[in-house]
Amino acid sequence: MSKLWNVAVVGATGAVGAQMIECLEERSFPVGKIKYLASARSAGEILEFRGKPVVVEELTHDSFEGIDIALFSAGGDRSREFCPSAARAGAVCIDNSSAWRMDPDVPLVVPEVNPLAIAGYTKKGIIANPNCSTIQLVVALKPLHDYAAIKRIVVSTYQAVSGTGKKAIEELHGQIRSMLQGLPADCTVYPHRIAFNCLPQIDSFLENGYTGEEMKMVNETRKILETEIGVTATAVRVPVFYGHSESVNIETVKKITVDKARELLKSAPGVELVDDPATRAYPMPIDAAGQDLTFVGRIREDESIVNGLNLWVVADNIRKGAATNAVQIAEILIEKYLK
Ligand code: NAP
């Protein structure tokens, strides 16, 4: 029998944590012992793994004895505080928060794009999962970048509320229900109503006028593609439950036609091309939800510049944007690096 690995899910009661558990089950990850960790609020709650009950424990610095892999999705503060303890106890941490992403000693990994970077996990015992919007962007752009060398990326996002976690999903449900009954909508998670609205603010504003989310897309894309490529982003929250969409414009060094882009994307790992205007086939969040692929369509030449292309890119933010990407990293770790 092949080796089994002891896995801790930190943030097991959250939106991403629940999906990580499902991904471990679906992908038949060889789990020996599983440990679910969350805040004191959830300690004692009973969840399941492969049909068996698992009691949620409170996250502490002693939670990681005997753990081989710790999947973190409990917010940046918890990752900053507890990843080093987990690594000291011998676990490799795969972190979904933004805490470690730009640390030069922590690899930032999308398996379809830069799997070899995983080798750098030995420096701190931590591997960072990129931001959900960055993951789908680089999965779609990597084959085009390899062929035509991207000089500049202009991206605008249309991001689902599940990207903010469980409470935001409940807030959109609640606001829709209230408004359809003619009642006022409560806003606690977002600064304005999200139901039947769009919010051009994700994360807080920085001194340069961009939001944290926008600058994550800029910096993480450069780190993953290992280039000082020009990137500019506008991140918008929309009243969609699952699935982030992105309007992407690229300028390339070499000419890339629509046909060539389609050919490259058709065979690219993790990508599904949905691009047939004649039958009104294009990617939509309602189709991407529940899927692990990144869907690309609406490919057009940008007629305003010499070498430019427009694309529409959609993926499930909780799956490929978080949980699936983390479990894919864990799969490579056990196959190639851990003994
Ligand atoms: P969520 O639904 O709000 O879940 C948060 C999780 O963190 C819960 O399990 C919560 O446990 C746990 N937690 C909170 N405070 C804690 C504490 N003091 N000690 C231990 N556990 C604590 O949020 P989410 O969407 O799953 O996001 C979790 C992380 O993943 C965040 O860092 C987020 O940025 C990142 N991420 C999210 C997405 C996405 O699309 N949602 C994508 C990529 C990355 P309790 O239930 O006990 O409070």
Side-chain angles (χ1 to χ4, degrees), residues 171-206:
E171 179 149 309
L172 177 56
H173 271 296
Q175 290 182 352
I176 292 171
R177 261 196 313 270
S178 300
M179 293 188 67
L180 292 180
Q181 292 167 19
L183 300 169
D186 285 340
C187 301
T188 53
V189 175
Y190 298 117
H192 305 279
R193 198 184 82 210
I194 182 65
F196 311 109
N197 198 13
C198 297
L199 306 179
Q201 178 194 351
I202 299 185
D203 209 335
S204 43
F205 284 103
L206 307 174

Side-chain angles (χ1 to χ4, degrees), residues 247-299:
S247 161
V248 184
N249 175 269
I250 55 170
E251 187 176 358
T252 53
V253 173
K254 188 168 135 184
K255 172 93 183 155
I256 179 163
T257 62
V258 170
D259 284 346
K260 186 67 192 175
R262 285 187 180 142
E263 180 197 319
L264 292 166
L265 287 162
K266 234 182 206 162
S267 56
V271 172
E272 181 149 326
L273 185 69
V274 185
D275 194 18
D276 185 13
T279 59
R280 297 192 181 93
Y282 33 72
M284 293 184 289
I286 53 170
D287 297 324
Q291 307 287 323
D292 288 325
L293 295 170
T294 294
F295 298 84
V296 185
R298 296 295 326 278
I299 303 173

Side-chain angles (χ1 to χ4, degrees), residues 11 13-16 38-39 41-42 73-75 78 96 162-163 165-166 317-318:
T13 51
V16 174
S39 76
R41 294 179 292 274
S42 309
S73 67
R78 262 67 62 194
N96 267 283
S162 54
K166 248 161 107 169
N317 51 298
I318 301 280

Side-chain angles (χ1 to χ4, degrees), residues 10-18 37-43 45 56-60 72-79 82 95-99 101 129-133 135 160-169 216 237 244 316-319 321-323:
V10 184
T13 51
V16 174
L37 299 164
S39 76
R41 294 179 292 274
S42 309
E45 207 177 288
V56 177
E57 297 172 39
E58 181 183 353
L59 170 66
T60 71
F72 272 78
S73 67
D77 291 345
R78 262 67 62 194
S79 295
F82 292 96
D95 182 33
N96 267 283
S97 81
S98 58
R101 289 179 191 150
N129 223 36
N131 178 278
C132 39
S133 311
I135 292 178
V161 295
S162 54
T164 320
K166 248 161 107 169
K167 290 202 174 99
I169 299 171
K216 282 176 202 165
R237 187 75 64 195
H244 289 356
D316 184 322
N317 51 298
I318 301 280
R319 292 184 73 104

Side-chain angles (χ1 to χ4, degrees), residues 12-31:
T13 51
V16 174
Q19 189 60 62
M20 290 203 293
I21 293 165
E22 216 176 298
C23 283
L24 291 168
E25 291 174 333
E26 279 173 9
R27 299 172 75 94
S28 302
F29 192 87
V31 175

